[in-house]
Amino acid sequence: MGEKTQTLVGRGPGMGGMPNRFAEAEHADHVMATLVRLVKYFAKERFMVIAMLAVVIGRTLCGIAGPSLQSRAIDIIAGERTGNFTATLSAMLGIYLLYSAGHLAQGVISAHLSQRIVRKMREELFEKLMGLPIRYMDTHSHGDVMSRMTNDIENISNTISSSLSSLFSGVLTVIGTVSIMFWYCWQLALLSFTTVILTLIVTKVLSGRVRRYSRERQKLLGKLNGTVEEMISGYHTVVAYNHQEITLREFKDTADTLTKAGVRTDAFSGVMGPIMNCVSNIGFVIIAAFGGYFSLTGLISVGVISAFIVYARQFSHPINNLASVYGQMQTAIAGAERVFAVLDEKNEYAGGEDIRPAKTITLEFRNVNFAYVQGNPVIRDFSLTVPAGKKIALVGATGSGKTTIVNLLMRFYDIDSGQILVNDQDIREVSRTSLRRQIAIVLQDAALFSDTVYHNLTYANDSAAMEEIEKAAKLSHSKDFIDQLPQGYDTVLTRSGENISQGERQLLTIARTFVADPKILIFDEATSNVDTRTEKVIQTAMQQIMRDRTSIVIAHRLSTIRESDIIVVMDQGRIVETGTHASLLADKGKYYELYRTQYAGMKT
């Protein structure tokens, strides 16, 4: 079954569109192992990493040298030091220009580094998704898989482009600033650092409150979004049952609670800035008071006091940001761990021999048994022969195992025991690629892509000539409506074909099978979503394409399978009856009951 994913409390924007820097970050289960794997991606971009580190170091040195030159300039003005004032000012200007240029270069290099790394990760992840077995997609939430491709990758990108360089810069700035402050005057440095303790205490107290209220707000926001989504998707039902007032009342109650939680969160978040400024100002007061005293005693100069004020600000800024950067990195590592979890999944085995060339194909199922979950069999001792060029229909109640037979034939899943033979070749010894080239399938829900009609029709045979495509459209009864489309075959289907009708979508999938020219055809409830008139058109197209091809048809509507060569009735994974439509009706067994249920008004 799908993995349990952690809830990201602080992933989305906070109220008002601003990110909540104190929202609770996600935590990875295997931090070191994940970091080691991430480092491998950085190793492939070692030159950009070295360039970024060089820029960060250079920028940090400029940031440290600037206040020192400022101190020298002030001392020259005050007459406490000799030197060239103009040269000192020019050096200050050059240092701060280099500092600004370094900041720009750091951002550009970080952006390039992050995009190169996440591009590689996206490519690897998408390639992995293309090679995963069907079982993985069936047992994992599609939304979760998409989240790994989008949200988790984006978190990694943002962290590399901003937080990582900020972390390096912050650490170097703290080390450099502390070192030079101690070099100038260790006594004043120690007095300045007393505000750090106060900063840590305030941050711990307030951030704890903000995290708690943030969790509550995000939970309520999720509930509110869920209510809106349900109302929009089920609007007809809401209106039909006159549930508007109740739905509105529930929405208002949740919105009111969310407002209170949002006020508490934003209040504590908003007070953080003023309090930190107050703490910083206290630090400046300490530096001014004790610095003045030390200056009067001759321990330091006036210029050093000025430098200390700048260094104190440089020191406190990265300290305040490190907690936020640390949280972002935790979230990125947790996202990387989820991405690596997909990359570590086993690919669908692609080996095996090719199917031997043949004009027609005979299918044989020998004592096949299968269970999606061990101990809960879905197919039991299933044996059936489908002669070459014949049409076999599988019927039965929902859950009888009809679609599972198709899944096993396509090798979406492998059987637990028995054999499935294609012209006497066991499909477990045949490569999946070779097997699936022989098969075309039309599903209940027409699977089309947001592309032109032409490219949808050539999806299984991209080398098909235009004459073949037009012939397929004509045989499938889809030519008339294609010609009426704005750009004909070049018309782009929007959102999987939402700009054409359900019946037209199904006809296009049948036309696609004509273009593919398979030897085995599978129709899985191909007419269940269309009206009776469209069903007859689709049935005509189906009869045309199934001619002289080995075919398997699954249908609840028994009208679609009357002309089948053999009708197989399934119940709880077993074959309970086989025969033609007439013979099965004469036997008055399970098929007769199904037929009477649909056409004679029997109660079910």
Side-chain angles (χ1 to χ4, degrees):
M1 299 301 292
E3 297 175 0
K4 183 179 179 182
T5 56
Q6 294 171 296
T7 302
L8 177 56
V9 175
R11 174 175 291 172
M15 303 298 284
M18 294 298 293
N20 182 1
R21 57 179 292 199
F22 296 105
E24 190 173 24
E26 287 184 283
H27 296 270
D29 293 328
H30 306 93
V31 176
M32 289 308 301
T34 304
L35 280 174
V36 169
R37 294 186 67 170
L38 276 174
V39 167
K40 293 179 181 178
Y41 286 92
F42 284 94
K44 296 175 182 177
E45 304 291 341
R46 61 178 66 89
F47 295 111
M48 294 198 71
V49 172
I50 293 171
M52 186 182 75
L53 288 175
V55 169
V56 168
I57 292 171
R59 177 171 170 263
T60 303
L61 291 176
C62 289
I64 294 172
S68 180
L69 289 172
Q70 176 183 308
S71 172
R72 178 186 293 273
I74 292 174
D75 285 344
I76 292 173
I77 294 173
E80 298 185 19
R81 178 180 298 186
T82 60
N84 189 322
F85 180 71
T86 303
T88 303
L89 287 181
S90 299
M92 280 182 62
L93 177 62
I95 286 292
Y96 283 120
L97 286 175
L98 285 175
Y99 182 84
S100 299
H103 186 76
L104 175 62
Q106 179 180 319
V108 171
I109 294 173
S110 297
H112 278 283
L113 178 63
S114 69
Q115 291 306 312
R116 288 167 74 98
I117 289 177
V118 298
R119 182 190 65 183
K120 181 64 176 175
M121 294 184 74
R122 279 198 184 101
E123 289 174 353
E124 289 182 1
L125 183 57
F126 195 79
E127 183 180 355
K128 169 60 71 170
L129 293 177
M130 293 297 96
L132 288 175
I134 294 292
R135 183 185 290 274
Y136 181 88
M137 292 300 181
D138 286 347
T139 55
H140 288 73
S141 164
H142 293 178
D144 176 60
V145 174
M146 291 175 64
S147 178
R148 297 178 194 229
M149 174 63 76
T150 54
N151 291 342
D152 291 332
I153 293 287
E154 195 62 28
N155 283 334
I156 297 170
S157 174
N158 291 337
T159 299
I160 295 173
S161 63
S162 58
S163 301
L164 193 62
S165 58
S166 297
L167 178 64
F168 290 152
S169 178
V171 171
L172 290 175
T173 299
V174 169
I175 294 173
T177 302
V178 169
S179 300
I180 199 166
M181 288 173 77
F182 270 94
W183 181 72
Y184 270 127
C185 180
W186 64 267
Q187 297 95 330
L188 190 55
L190 288 177
L191 289 168
S192 301
F193 297 154
T194 57
T195 58
V196 174
I197 299 173
L198 186 58
T199 298
L200 294 176
I201 293 173
V202 171
T203 301
K204 181 177 178 59
V205 173
L206 291 182
S207 62
R209 294 287 185 91
V210 173
R211 287 192 191 98
R212 184 167 73 250
Y213 295 139
S214 178
R215 283 196 296 267
E216 181 184 356
R217 183 174 69 177
Q218 291 299 113
K219 182 179 179 181
L220 290 167
L221 185 60
K223 181 179 179 181
L224 195 71
N225 290 338
T227 301
V228 174
E229 183 180 358
E230 286 183 351
M231 189 277 295
I232 294 174
S233 60
Y235 185 69
H236 289 83
T237 304
V238 173
V239 173
Y241 286 95
N242 294 316
H243 215 266
Q244 298 98 314
E245 291 186 6
I246 297 175
T247 303
L248 179 60
R249 186 164 59 250
E250 291 174 350
F251 178 86
K252 285 183 176 180
D253 291 342
T254 305
D256 289 343
T257 309
L258 174 62
T259 300
K260 294 175 183 177
V263 169
R264 288 195 295 266
T265 304
D266 292 341
F268 279 97
S269 296
V271 80
M272 178 64 72
I275 290 179
M276 298 309 296
N277 286 334
C278 181
V279 172
S280 296
N281 291 334
I282 292 173
F284 298 150
V285 171
I286 291 173
I287 292 172
F290 286 93
Y293 173 75
F294 292 152
S295 177
L296 291 175
T297 60
L299 185 63
I300 59 175
S301 66
V302 176
V304 170
I305 299 173
S306 172
F308 255 85
I309 291 175
V310 178
Y311 285 133
R313 184 179 295 277
Q314 283 188 183
F315 175 77
S316 61
H317 182 72
I319 289 291
N320 295 339
N321 286 340
L322 282 178
S324 176
V325 170
Y326 178 70
Q328 292 172 7
M329 292 189 67
Q330 281 185 317
T331 299
I333 293 171
E337 185 178 54
R338 283 193 294 273
V339 171
F340 293 147
V342 178
L343 293 177
D344 290 339
E345 291 288 334
K346 290 184 178 179
N347 277 8
E348 188 176 61
Y349 177 67
E353 60 187 21
D354 288 341
I355 290 181
R356 291 187 290 270
K359 290 184 178 181
T360 58
I361 287 181
T362 297
L363 298 176
E364 185 177 357
F365 298 80
R366 291 182 183 172
N367 307 114
V368 172
N369 292 278
F370 173 74
Y372 291 105
V373 180
Q374 190 173 3
N376 186 21
V378 178
I379 300 297
R380 300 174 173 88
D381 196 28
F382 185 92
S383 296
L384 175 69
T385 298
V386 184
K390 299 296 183 181
K391 181 173 74 172
I392 301 295
L394 300 180
V395 300
T398 300
S400 59
K402 305 182 298 298
T403 299
T404 299
I405 292 296
V406 172
N407 288 339
L408 297 178
L409 175 59
M410 296 286 293
R411 285 197 72 188
F412 292 157
Y413 294 84
D414 280 330
I415 61 178
D416 296 333
S417 63
Q419 285 182 302
I420 301 178
L421 304 174
V422 176
N423 283 352
D424 297 324
Q425 281 183 277
D426 192 322
I427 64 171
R428 285 176 296 186
E429 299 174 359
V430 172
S431 73
R432 286 180 167 86
T433 301
S434 176
L435 173 66
R436 291 167 186 168
R437 282 201 188 104
Q438 311 298 320
I439 304 173
I441 184 169
V442 179
L443 300 171
Q444 177 178 352
D445 296 317
L448 297 173
F449 301 92
S450 299
D451 206 334
T452 62
V453 172
Y454 173 85
H455 284 112
N456 271 279
L457 293 181
T458 59
Y459 193 75
N461 182 8
D462 54 11
S463 62
M466 194 63 202
E467 293 77 11
E468 297 176 77
I469 296 170
E470 291 177 344
K471 180 181 178 182
K474 184 176 181 180
L475 291 172
S476 63
H477 298 268
S478 56
K479 185 179 185 302
D480 290 341
F481 85 81
I482 291 175
D483 289 340
Q484 293 174 7
L485 293 174
Q487 285 83 39
Y489 290 93
D490 293 325
T491 301
V492 176
L493 302 180
T494 60
R495 298 186 62 181
S496 302
E498 286 190 355
N499 52 338
I500 58 177
S501 70
Q502 175 68 38
E504 289 169 342
R505 291 199 291 269
Q506 201 66 285
L507 287 174
L508 282 182
T509 61
I510 295 174
R512 183 169 60 195
T513 62
F514 270 109
V515 176
D517 193 24
K519 293 184 171 61
I520 302 172
L521 272 172
I522 299 173
F523 288 89
D524 190 353
E525 302 286 359
T527 62
S528 61
N529 287 337
V530 297
D531 59 84
T532 306
R533 181 179 178 181
T534 305
E535 179 186 9
K536 290 182 178 179
V537 176
I538 293 175
Q539 282 181 10
T540 303
M542 288 169 58
Q543 295 299 330
Q544 184 74 22
I545 193 174
M546 285 189 290
R547 187 175 299 167
D548 300 325
R549 286 185 171 92
T550 305
S551 307
I552 297 177
V553 179
I554 297 174
H556 281 300
R557 294 182 184 176
L558 302 185
S559 59
T560 63
I561 49 93
R562 287 186 180 186
E563 304 302 322
S564 299
D565 298 301
I566 303 173
I567 297 175
V568 178
V569 185
M570 296 182 64
D571 186 36
Q572 296 183 355
R574 293 187 174 91
I575 296 176
V576 293
E577 286 181 319
T578 59
T580 63
H581 174 73
S583 66
L584 290 173
L585 285 180
D587 291 341
K588 293 190 176 182
K590 193 75 175 178
Y591 182 81
Y592 177 79
E593 293 178 9
L594 291 171
Y595 186 81
R596 290 276 295 168
T597 300
Q598 290 191 20
Y599 296 105
M602 283 185 62
K603 292 183 179 180
T604 57

